[in-house]
Amino acid sequence: MVLDNIVFPLADALDGTRSRKRLVANVRDAILRTGFFGVQGLMHLTPERVAETRELSDKVFALPEEEKLALEFRDRGGQRGMNVTFGVRKGAQHRDLKEFWHHGPNRTPDDPMYQDCGDNISVPQVPGFIAAMDDLHAGFVEEMDLPLELISEGFGYHPRFLPDLMKGGDDLVRDLNYLPFQDDTPEGTMWTGAHTDSCIVTGLIPGILEGEAEDDSLELQLRNGIWQYVPIPRDTMMINIGDFLSRMTCGRYSSTRHRVGPPRKKGIGRRSTVCFRHPRREVMLPRLNLNKAIFGPPIGDWEEVCAGYALFDVLCANNAHKGPNPYLKTGRDPSVPPLMTR
């Protein structure tokens, strides 16, 4: 089966050279086959840490609609705070049936990246929520560094190649609240429509419902175009290859299309939390020199551009950002005013 052998214990990365080399090869094989892999034995994103944050975010999602709308800042491209009024995904018939909260690193006004997003949004109605999101954000970054080392070693690069490339980057945590499907939900509605992720990699912590052994709401599109469910066991983080890493490998690592839902039962929602790992936006995305005997020839020829240009190129194409791309291919465009208006 294509999806066999894609979840691995992180302990193997810490258990001697031979186990780590085997794990590196297994991770590389899983990515080449599917664009995904999973890790178990999480050291930072413990179930208790995730549950404590979700208990607080449940209260945020339960706020009255007008209060949630006041926490939404579309002029920042939805990159911080509540997202409830986003549009229809490109190529879809209906809006995704979800709402979500975005939380990023804390920046000071003298940081150029502050111009794009500003501060994280505070929620006075739910004390402790922003501190919990800060903690969860740090946990994701810490937890995902080891899988990034394994990917780097699979390329034949130094283990710290990818973690160092993203040092100080705009890693974005998205806490998702998937809303229940009802009898009047339009046919064809999804929790999240088919897409790829505009980042280096994405880490996903599913929301396992009480009485369930796994989350079976995620689907990925196989190389033959068929959609297949990806069952995610408890205490597992799935790693998804994003568009930026696909670009850096000239398509040899594919940012696999995936989607979420619809649910098997009506009237039941679901929670999920993801982290999009990004470099700083002025960082150039290099083309990697890969072994053709392992990875094959390049599938495309992408020019090297900075991460900010690559990100806003996608946001503009999907109508998630209004106005021109604030980045040139080599860095920030000085002719475009800063995004921060609040």
Side-chain angles (χ1 to χ4, degrees):
M1 293 287 293
V2 174
L3 296 182
D4 287 345
N5 196 32
I6 64 169
V7 178
F8 312 105
L10 277 176
D12 284 358
L14 308 172
D15 189 25
T17 302
R18 183 175 298 179
S19 294
R20 184 168 177 124
K21 285 184 176 180
R22 182 171 59 249
L23 179 58
V24 166
N26 286 339
V27 165
R28 181 176 59 211
D29 176 68
I31 296 172
L32 287 170
R33 286 186 290 116
T34 70
F36 277 81
F37 69 98
V39 291
Q40 293 181 321
L42 305 180
M43 295 171 282
H44 303 285
L45 290 173
T46 62
E48 295 77 18
R49 193 175 192 176
V50 174
E52 288 172 4
T53 304
R54 285 184 179 162
E55 184 176 343
L56 292 168
S57 61
D58 282 343
K59 297 178 181 179
V60 175
F61 291 126
L63 291 172
E65 194 72 11
E66 63 273 15
E67 293 186 32
K68 289 193 286 188
L69 288 172
L71 298 170
E72 185 174 60
F73 293 83
R74 302 313 306 173
D75 57 344
R76 305 187 194 183
Q79 295 292 295
R80 297 291 186 272
M82 183 66 76
N83 282 260
V84 291
T85 64
F86 50 88
V88 177
R89 187 181 297 275
K90 188 176 180 180
Q93 294 179 303
H94 310 288
R95 291 178 70 249
D96 294 344
L97 194 60
K98 67 185 180 186
E99 56 189 359
F100 55 92
W101 183 271
H102 272 160
H103 190 90
N106 294 306
R107 305 280 184 195
T108 57
D110 60 342
D111 187 329
M113 288 182 60
Y114 183 90
Q115 299 176 28
D116 290 342
C117 300
D119 296 319
N120 284 304
I121 309 302
S122 62
V123 186
Q125 305 95 314
V126 184
F129 172 62
I130 296 304
M133 289 300 296
D134 282 338
D135 182 67
L136 188 68
H137 184 280
F140 263 109
V141 173
E142 292 170 328
E143 197 71 73
M144 293 177 71
D145 266 7
L146 185 50
L148 286 167
E149 288 186 4
L150 300 175
I151 297 172
S152 299
E153 290 180 56
F155 292 146
Y157 281 56
H158 189 279
R160 296 299 302 174
F161 168 67
L162 285 176
D164 288 348
L165 184 75
M166 288 180 284
K167 190 173 182 180
D170 195 42
D171 305 310
L172 185 67
V173 170
R174 175 181 293 177
D175 196 31
L176 289 134
N177 183 34
Y178 293 120
L179 304 174
F181 276 56
Q182 307 295 346
D183 290 338
D184 60 352
T185 300
E187 186 72 23
T189 300
M190 300 290 290
W191 270 335
T192 296
H195 67 288
T196 58
D197 293 340
S198 299
C199 57
I200 297 289
V201 296
T202 303
L204 162 67
I205 299 292
I208 310 294
L209 299 179
E210 186 175 351
E212 292 183 344
E214 58 191 20
D215 182 341
D216 62 357
S217 59
L218 177 67
E219 295 178 272
L220 68 83
Q221 191 172 33
L222 303 178
R223 300 290 188 256
N224 59 9
I226 294 175
W227 288 96
Q228 183 165 335
Y229 280 101
V230 184
I232 307 176
R234 287 187 179 276
D235 304 331
T236 299
M237 178 168 62
M238 297 301 294
I239 306 292
N240 169 39
I241 300 304
D243 296 337
F244 293 1
L245 196 55
S246 182
R247 183 186 194 107
M248 291 163 60
T249 62
C250 292
R252 287 171 283 193
Y253 271 12
S254 174
S255 51
T256 305
R257 284 170 62 80
H258 55 285
R259 64 190 186 187
V260 183
R264 309 296 177 90
K265 297 179 181 179
K266 292 182 179 179
I268 298 177
R270 190 177 286 277
R271 295 296 309 280
S272 181
T273 311
V274 300
C275 179
F276 305 101
R277 294 296 308 270
H278 288 268
R280 288 184 62 86
R281 293 180 180 175
E282 69 271 17
V283 169
M284 298 297 291
L285 302 176
R287 284 194 300 266
L288 303 184
N289 182 20
L290 301 178
N291 186 333
K292 290 184 179 180
I294 297 175
F295 295 93
I299 297 174
D301 185 20
W302 284 269
E303 62 181 321
E304 294 186 356
V305 299
C306 72
Y309 178 87
L311 173 63
F312 280 94
D313 191 45
V314 175
L315 293 179
C316 291
N318 291 331
N319 297 318
H321 170 70
K322 307 299 182 182
N325 191 327
Y327 286 84
L328 302 170
K329 293 180 180 180
T330 55
R332 186 179 291 274
D333 186 345
S335 70
V336 178
L339 298 181
M340 273 298 299
T341 59
R342 300 193 185 200

